[in-house]
Amino acid sequence: MNAPLKPNDYSAYPDAEGRFGDYGGRYVPETLMPLVLELNDAYEAAKADPSFQAGLDDYLKHYVGRPSPLYFAERLTQHYGGAKIYLKREELNHTGAHKINNCMGQILLAMRMGRTRIIAETGAGQHGVATATVCARFGLPCVIYMGAVDVERQKPNVFRMKLLGAEVRPVTAGAGTLKDAMNEAMRDWVTNVHDTYYIIGTAAGPHPYPAMVRDFQAVIGNETRAQMLEAEGRLPDAVVACIGGGSNAIGIFHPFLGDETVKLIGVEASGHGLDTDKHAASMAGGRPGVLHGNKTYLLQDADGQIVEGHSISAGLDYPGVGPEHAWLKDGGRAEYRACTDDEALAAFKLCAELEGIIPALESAHALARLPEIAREIGPGGVVVLNLSGRGDKDIYTVADSLGATL
């Protein structure tokens, strides 16, 4: 980024080449470039067509269940003794997470483009479930690539995908996690260019994916603005979300980018600690590089080879982050903190016990940073946390970590 940007400038990006300052872009093989350019043209046309957005809005309301509630977490607020805490209840969406917002938008775009086969990658399984769900709804075959390690630790979601008619292909290459699943999905896309649409699940990949996924997820932030004005008569002092690739976070952040009074705080997974090699905090512990078609912050060794990320959460162990987050970090518009596995587990239990809400382990990372954020904002202030998913999928992982037997 050549010059400091004012808050209002951030919402104008990416540029025509898909760049957020130094980040983003299209780093793809020649065989994929025509597909990426075709997708960009199709998305631009869909955005300009009021009937496309009207159709999407109808499905979001009547099938997904939007708007999701903005809930005042009274007991968490009392527990921390600082700012009022509100939870944006994305876990109440159909399929149990924010992922369905993006999948519904992309499946409608795929059909508009005449594609007849859908592929996707998934880590924690929520994007895979959402993809399988929309494919079932519209009668399209789909293949879900999932790391073999994640298949093992997310068995409930694997079964859900299969019930919905999807083919789940375990990926054993590399560490057998999200990065490797995305690699295999990219290979499939190159091989089946004539009929296949790739629904990327996070705000990463070659342009237009980071901007497109952000746009489909911005419904979260747009609803939050309206709901907060209704509930409190003003905007929140801080908006908080967990960060893996970053789609839930950019979805709630983006409509607030121009509001200087609203702090934007993302929380990465620091696993066993930032001083170890077992974390997935690419912005705190990585440096810029290129992966999966875009330039962004990545976990790398001294030779520039990608280092495997680690998190107790299968959805946060990606060794990179969406390029818009990298740009917001460098520009200072958003700040990014970290949370260990142990801190996330403690927050998972606390939210369940105090609010009767079992959060996804991903969301628990953001919840873990609430004590200090609530104190920093202080009494009289307001914090909104994006509760991006529910924790049904994580009960086996949590039980194992706590030494419980199911």
Side-chain angles (χ1 to χ4, degrees):
M1 187 163 54
N2 296 322
L5 296 181
K6 298 177 181 178
N8 282 328
D9 295 331
Y10 283 99
S11 60
Y13 285 77
D15 63 19
E17 299 303 315
R19 293 191 177 278
F20 300 88
D22 291 334
Y23 303 103
R26 296 186 184 101
Y27 295 85
V28 297
E30 289 182 11
T31 50
L32 266 186
M33 187 61 78
L35 283 175
V36 170
L37 294 174
E38 180 189 11
L39 175 60
N40 184 68
D41 291 344
Y43 179 56
E44 291 298 321
K47 280 198 297 183
D49 182 354
S51 67
F52 179 82
Q53 187 62 51
L56 174 58
D57 289 345
D58 188 72
Y59 282 113
L60 291 178
K61 179 179 180 180
H62 297 291
Y63 189 72
V64 174
R66 304 206 70 89
S68 64
L70 183 69
Y71 164 70
F72 172 46
E74 184 176 8
R75 295 196 68 204
L76 277 175
T77 298
Q78 292 171 349
H79 181 78
Y80 293 132
K84 293 178 73 172
I85 295 167
Y86 282 83
L87 304 178
K88 180 58 172 166
R89 300 287 305 277
E90 288 298 289
E91 96 283 4
L92 293 179
N93 292 336
H94 180 41
T95 73
H98 68 291
K99 295 293 189 180
I100 191 74
N101 305 323
N102 169 54
C103 288
M104 186 58 73
Q106 288 205 54
I107 195 77
L108 295 178
L109 182 61
M111 292 189 297
R112 182 185 175 101
M113 295 175 68
R115 297 297 188 261
T116 56
R117 176 179 178 264
I118 304 297
I119 61 172
E121 88 295 331
T122 196
Q126 286 302 113
H127 176 59
V129 168
T131 301
T133 297
V134 296
C135 286
R137 167 60 185 82
F138 294 107
L140 294 179
C142 77
V143 174
I144 309 295
Y145 289 93
M146 190 173 190
V149 170
D150 293 336
V151 167
E152 201 50 38
R153 61 178 171 173
Q154 294 292 338
K155 287 180 180 179
N157 273 345
V158 173
F159 186 57
R160 290 169 75 195
M161 285 182 266
K162 291 180 177 179
L163 277 176
L164 291 160
E167 178 189 348
V168 180
R169 294 186 184 175
V171 177
T172 57
T177 54
L178 182 56
K179 169 183 68 69
D180 312 295
M182 199 164 183
N183 287 340
E184 288 303 313
M186 287 277 193
R187 292 188 184 101
D188 184 316
W189 197 24
V190 173
T191 307
N192 299 285
V193 297
H194 60 291
D195 66 345
T196 296
Y197 184 100
Y198 179 14
I199 299 183
I200 290 181
T202 194
H207 181 66
Y209 280 108
M212 180 169 63
V213 174
R214 174 201 71 194
D215 292 347
F216 288 141
Q217 293 292 2
V219 65
I220 306 171
N222 288 327
E223 287 179 5
T224 301
R225 280 184 74 91
Q227 291 167 325
M228 181 52 61
L229 289 170
E230 181 181 355
E232 294 285 338
R234 67 181 185 91
L235 296 179
D237 297 287
V239 174
V240 186
C242 66
I243 296 277
S247 66
N248 93 89
I250 206 63
I252 197 169
F253 286 179
H254 194 259
F256 293 99
L257 287 181
D259 300 300
E260 296 187 56
T261 61
V262 180
K263 292 184 178 181
L264 306 177
I265 303 171
V267 183
E268 298 186 288
S270 56
H272 295 174
L274 293 174
D275 57 346
T276 74
D277 62 355
K278 298 293 184 183
H279 69 79
S282 57
M283 286 186 285
R287 65 182 193 276
V290 174
L291 179 66
H292 295 145
N294 72 112
K295 182 180 179 182
T296 187
Y297 275 93
L298 302 170
L299 298 178
Q300 306 172 62
D301 64 19
D303 297 321
Q305 298 299 307
I306 301 301
V307 175
E308 302 294 345
H310 163 79
S311 172
I312 191 172
S313 162
L316 298 185
D317 62 5
Y318 186 64
V321 67
E324 190 165 5
H325 286 296
W327 183 59
L328 294 176
K329 173 187 181 297
D330 282 6
R333 180 60 192 96
E335 63 173 289
Y336 296 89
R337 306 185 185 187
C339 166
T340 66
D341 290 350
D342 288 344
E343 289 173 321
L345 279 169
F348 181 99
K349 288 183 61 185
L350 187 68
C351 185
E353 292 167 358
L354 291 186
E355 293 294 348
I357 298 170
I358 301 175
L361 275 173
E362 290 80 8
S363 307
H365 284 71
L367 287 162
R369 296 277 68 85
L370 279 179
E372 61 265 32
I373 294 170
R375 285 196 303 270
E376 291 164 13
I377 300 301
V382 178
V383 175
V384 175
L385 183 141
N386 194 20
L387 198 70
S388 57
R390 66 181 183 226
D392 310 42
K393 66 185 179 57
D394 296 314
I395 56 171
Y396 290 98
T397 299
V398 172
D400 184 60
S401 297
L402 298 177
T405 300
L406 295 181

